[in-house]
Amino acid sequence: ILKKQIEKSIMVGKYLLNLEEERMMKLELKKWSIEDSDDLVSICNAVSRTYLSNRLPFPYTEDNAKWWLGMVEENEGSNGIFRSISVDDKIVGNISVERKDDVFCKDAEIGYFLLTEYWSKGIMTEAVRQICQIAFDELDILRITGLVYNPNNASKKVLEKNGFAMEGTMKQAVVKDGSIYDLCILGKLR
């Protein structure tokens, strides 16, 4: 039996057409700026942290936003690509590709999050497609790595839809809020 996957959304210019909801959404990846500080604080305090690293402080403060936006400004285009995810001109998530260093300097790691009310609409799949293209164009890298906690099948699907291949699993590599997870390593080559 052949199983055909039907796409739930189609990108048309800057607009994402969600076929299930029959709704057109304006989707943009925008460079972060200091003026986005309040929005950054808001989404960082509202996002589900179930499968995020503890690198994202909670509660997320204005000082955290100021530090992060300064780091973004310093590293944008040379050591990373950092974008807000906007739907209908509202910031609803974050996505970045950060270049690694030392002997791993031709590799970069992708990371992202999206407010839960925007999940399962094709938004992150399109955001990953766009940022990978930008990262390969602007950064001196050969590959992008995605690290996903094993129960997070939705995130694995997003990466796989964008040409990431499963490269391995680190058993019991993540301890998060008292749970132990395997860490899936996915990669995409230039």
Side-chain angles (χ1 to χ4, degrees):
I1 298 173
L2 292 174
K3 198 177 196 182
K4 184 179 178 186
Q5 182 179 5
I6 299 172
E7 291 298 320
K8 294 180 183 178
S9 57
I10 300 169
M11 197 68 188
V12 182
K14 287 185 177 183
Y15 292 89
L16 185 68
L17 174 59
N18 185 300
L19 299 174
E20 286 185 334
E21 296 179 11
E22 297 179 355
R23 178 174 178 262
M24 196 78 117
M25 297 175 279
K26 182 180 175 189
L27 172 64
E28 293 181 286
L29 300 189
K30 297 179 180 178
K31 288 185 179 182
W32 285 100
S33 72
I34 197 69
E35 291 81 30
D36 298 322
S37 181
D38 290 343
D39 289 328
L40 179 61
V41 170
S42 178
I43 65 169
C44 286
N45 283 316
V47 71
S48 170
R49 293 166 178 275
T50 305
Y51 299 121
L52 294 180
S53 74
N54 293 334
R55 176 179 164 184
L56 184 68
F58 185 79
Y60 198 87
T61 66
E62 284 292 330
D63 286 341
N64 297 134
K66 183 179 177 183
W67 175 86
W68 192 81
L69 291 168
M71 182 279 302
V72 165
E73 185 177 25
E74 184 178 318
N75 290 283
E76 175 65 41
S78 57
N79 292 316
I81 304 296
F82 306 88
R83 299 290 186 269
S84 66
I85 302 170
S86 294
V87 172
D88 298 330
D89 298 315
K90 177 184 176 192
I91 296 176
V92 299
N94 175 63
I95 189 164
S96 64
V97 175
E98 295 182 66
R99 201 173 80 176
K100 297 179 182 182
D101 57 16
D102 196 32
V103 297
F104 308 104
C105 64
K106 296 294 184 181
D107 188 9
E109 186 175 328
I110 190 168
Y112 46 81
F113 64 76
L114 193 64
L115 294 174
T116 54
E117 58 265 34
Y118 292 90
W119 289 2
S120 300
K121 299 180 186 305
I123 294 166
M124 193 55 75
T125 299
E126 179 59 24
V128 168
R129 185 194 69 74
Q130 288 183 28
I131 203 157
C132 286
Q133 183 177 350
I134 296 166
F136 281 133
D137 288 346
E138 295 187 18
L139 300 176
D140 184 20
I141 57 174
L142 299 173
R143 59 173 284 129
I144 300 172
T145 299
L147 304 175
V148 180
Y149 305 170
N150 193 33
N152 193 352
N153 292 321
S155 189
K156 280 191 277 190
K157 277 183 174 179
V158 163
L159 294 174
E160 288 168 345
K161 285 180 181 180
N162 278 284
F164 283 75
M166 184 72 159
E167 295 181 337
T169 303
M170 295 173 64
K171 298 290 185 188
Q172 299 182 1
V174 176
V175 178
K176 172 79 176 176
D177 297 331
S179 295
I180 299 172
Y181 300 120
D182 293 345
L183 184 66
C184 301
I185 303 166
L186 294 95
K188 179 180 176 88
L189 300 177
R190 178 181 284 280

